[in-house]
């Protein structure tokens, strides 16, 4: 009996070592947990996060694993900053404009209404001073912030009725996050924010009359068009970028090579999400007219856009007067955008102008 037990133990030990052959016997696997805002499997947001975790494990030869918890596991879709700050999770993936009520300066790293496009904003973030400003903002919370994937320009949302004037917005109950929510609140909209999993039910039950989510690639699958068939083009989220967060104490304990692996894997995920979402939207848009002929695509009337723009500028000025950090970020974005937009005009805009039917 004893001999059999010994043999079994030896076999078990051999199996353990052969299963982790790339890790030295005395090296401990570092196990992190990541909380994401999104439901499991939601393309491309959740895919972006699982791709990141898989890449870290592969690139580290199994020395590091990252368990991804979706919103049904941690039950706090919009509370990712708090959980990473508290060290409950080493990492998070979310959108920083969800925390505008806690710290309004987290918000401009997602997107700003009438702000930069994805190319412009990415250039600002990585090569125009954005990254240093983000560090200044997020250091106060004890977390590192990294860009986590852009959706590109978003659609303006789904409405039950056509919006023909600013008056049509008054009293409307709409789900819309970020600074755009502040702008619409000034125009009489009852603004709310809800996480992805609650959107359709809220619209169907009439808790909200209208909502915006992302764009055709992600929206059509949600079925919003069945309740609210007017689909408006965007003004409010021209470059929505998501965010990875890392608790700074956890980060500081990592060896330099694992830090580099994580940074590279995050940039890979960020870039791929933009391409993936673009492809999904192009595909969905090409089929939309045929598959869903009841969807009515609209743009907001020029006088509505003009009013939104005026309110947006006034709110930026008012918030800047109260908050020096907000002022600093807005000035940095405006200064960069002035240069970048001239180049956008000379490159993409003039090219497209002559090549769009
Ligand atoms: Ca959105």
């Amino acid at each position: 009996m004893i001999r059999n037990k010994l043999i079994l133990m030896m076999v078990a030990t051999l199996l353990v070592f052969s299963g982790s052959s790339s890790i030295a016997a005395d090296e401990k696997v570092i196990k992190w947990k990541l909380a994401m805002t999104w439901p499991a499997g939601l393309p491309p947001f959740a895919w972006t996060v699982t791709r990141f975790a898989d890449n870290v494990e592969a690139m580290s030869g199994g020395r590091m694993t990252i368990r991804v918890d979706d919103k049904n596991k941690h039950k706090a879709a919009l509370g990712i900053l708090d959980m990473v700050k508290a060290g409950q999770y080493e990492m998070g993936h979310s959108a920083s404009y969800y925390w505008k009520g806690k710290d309004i300066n987290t918000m401009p790293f997602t997107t700003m209404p009438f702000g930069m496009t994805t190319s412009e904003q990415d250039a600002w973030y990585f090569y125009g001073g954005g990254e240093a400003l983000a560090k200044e903002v997020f250091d106060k919370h004890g977390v590192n912030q990294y860009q986590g994937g852009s959706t590109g320009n978003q659609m303006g949302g789904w409405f039950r009725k056509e919006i023909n004037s600013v008056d049509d917005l008054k009293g409307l109950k709409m789900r819309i996050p970020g600074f755009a929510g502040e702008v619409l609140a000034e125009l009489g909209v009852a603004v709310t924010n809800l996480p992805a999993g609650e959107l359709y039910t809220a619209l169907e039950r009439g808790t909200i009359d209208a909502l915006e989510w992302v764009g055709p690639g992600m929206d059509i699958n949600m079925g919003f068009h069945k309740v609210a068939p007017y689909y408006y083009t965007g003004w409010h989220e021209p470059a929505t970028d998501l965010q990875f967060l890392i608790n700074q104490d956890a980060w500081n304990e990592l060896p330099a090579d694992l830090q580099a692996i994580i940074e590279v894997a995050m940039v890979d995920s960020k870039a791929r999400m933009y391409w993936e979402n673009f492809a999904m939207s192009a595909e969905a848009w090409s089929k939309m007219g045929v598959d869903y002929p009841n969807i009515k695509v609209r743009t907001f009337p020029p006088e509505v856009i003009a009013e939104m723009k005026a309110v947006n500028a006034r709110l930026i000025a008012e918030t800047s007067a109260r908050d020096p950090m907000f002022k600093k970020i807005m000035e940095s974005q405006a200064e960069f955008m002035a240069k970048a937009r001239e180049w956008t005009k000379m490159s993409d805009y003039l090219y497209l102008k002559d090549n769009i039917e």
Side-chain angles (χ1 to χ4, degrees):
M1 279 299 277
I2 290 170
R3 189 165 163 268
N4 284 350
K5 262 191 179 172
L6 270 172
I7 290 168
L8 273 176
M9 278 171 70
M10 281 167 70
V11 169
T13 310
L14 277 170
L15 281 173
V16 166
F17 278 106
S18 63
S20 54
S21 54
S22 57
I23 307 168
D26 58 346
E27 199 165 16
K28 215 174 113 222
V29 175
I30 296 171
K31 292 176 181 169
W32 273 17
K33 299 187 300 294
L34 181 155
M36 63 176 177
T37 291
W38 329 111
L42 179 76
F45 291 4
W47 292 358
T48 297
V49 182
T50 47
R51 178 191 298 119
F52 160 77
D54 291 347
N55 277 337
V56 169
E57 187 169 350
M59 287 195 279
S60 69
R63 283 166 57 216
M64 181 160 193
T65 60
I66 298 174
R67 188 186 88 197
V68 175
D69 284 358
D70 67 84
K71 65 157 197 122
N72 294 325
K73 180 83 187 273
H74 56 68
K75 314 278 185 208
L78 305 178
I80 306 295
L81 175 62
D82 286 340
M83 292 193 289
V84 176
K85 197 171 170 172
Q88 193 179 338
Y89 281 88
E90 289 86 359
M91 285 194 76
H93 190 264
S94 190
S96 66
Y97 62 5
Y98 292 150
W99 314 312
K100 68 178 178 184
K102 288 186 183 302
D103 181 350
I104 196 153
N105 295 318
T106 61
M107 193 184 57
F109 299 98
T110 306
T111 188
M112 286 296 286
F114 304 111
M116 291 181 276
T117 64
T118 296
S119 306
E120 294 165 350
Q121 184 169 296
D122 283 354
W124 168 74
Y125 183 81
F126 288 108
Y127 300 102
E131 201 168 12
L133 289 169
K135 184 167 166 41
E136 219 176 304
V137 169
F138 284 89
D139 272 356
K140 288 184 199 141
H141 299 282
V143 303
N144 292 349
Q145 180 271 168
Y146 304 83
Q147 298 281 277
S150 180
T151 65
N153 199 353
Q154 295 201 359
M155 287 292 281
W158 300 87
F159 295 76
R160 279 195 172 83
K161 293 178 189 154
E162 228 170 331
I163 303 297
N164 293 312
S165 67
V166 176
D167 271 352
D168 289 342
L169 292 170
K170 292 199 169 58
L172 202 72
K173 290 174 284 178
M174 183 173 184
R175 180 271 181 192
I176 181 165
F179 209 65
E182 309 293 311
V183 172
L184 288 190
E186 289 286 303
L187 295 174
V189 175
V191 170
T192 179
N193 187 25
L194 297 166
E198 297 167 31
L199 298 178
Y200 182 78
T201 313
L203 191 63
E204 193 191 25
R205 289 182 184 166
T207 315
I208 49 175
D209 308 309
L211 61 80
E212 70 76 57
W213 175 224
V214 178
M218 294 185 74
D219 290 4
I220 304 285
N221 294 337
M222 303 282 253
F224 304 138
H225 55 275
K226 292 180 219 159
V227 187
Y230 291 95
Y231 198 18
Y232 277 80
T233 55
W235 59 280
H236 65 311
E237 300 198 32
T240 311
D241 210 287
L242 307 180
Q243 278 72 35
F244 280 111
L245 297 182
I246 301 183
N247 177 286
Q248 286 182 346
D249 292 336
W251 177 253
N252 293 335
E253 284 171 19
L254 282 185
D257 63 333
L258 290 180
Q259 288 181 342
I261 283 169
I262 286 176
E263 285 183 336
V264 169
M266 287 189 296
V267 174
D268 168 85
S269 274
K270 170 189 164 50
R272 283 178 175 273
M273 198 189 99
Y274 176 60
W275 304 329
E276 189 168 18
N277 193 57
F278 196 102
M280 282 168 56
S281 280
E283 180 72 17
W285 193 262
S286 73
K287 291 181 185 158
M288 200 174 78
V290 179
D291 292 353
Y292 305 99
N294 294 332
I295 295 176
K296 299 170 180 70
V297 178
R298 296 286 186 274
T299 55
F300 291 107
E303 61 271 26
V304 173
I305 290 287
E307 192 62 26
M308 288 166 170
K309 216 178 248 185
V311 171
N312 185 60
R314 175 168 61 76
L315 289 182
I316 288 177
E318 286 172 9
T319 315
S320 295
R322 284 197 303 271
D323 188 325
M325 189 66 209
F326 188 79
K327 183 168 188 276
K328 197 166 151 182
I329 301 167
M330 287 302 101
E331 283 175 355
S332 171
Q333 288 195 339
E335 193 187 325
F336 191 85
M337 182 164 137
K339 278 184 285 189
R341 189 55 53 87
E342 285 307 308
W343 174 238
T344 301
K345 270 190 229 166
M346 292 307 295
S347 52
D348 285 351
Y349 176 73
L350 286 180
Y351 171 75
L352 291 173
K353 194 166 77 68
D354 294 335
N355 287 288
I356 285 182
E357 300 287 305

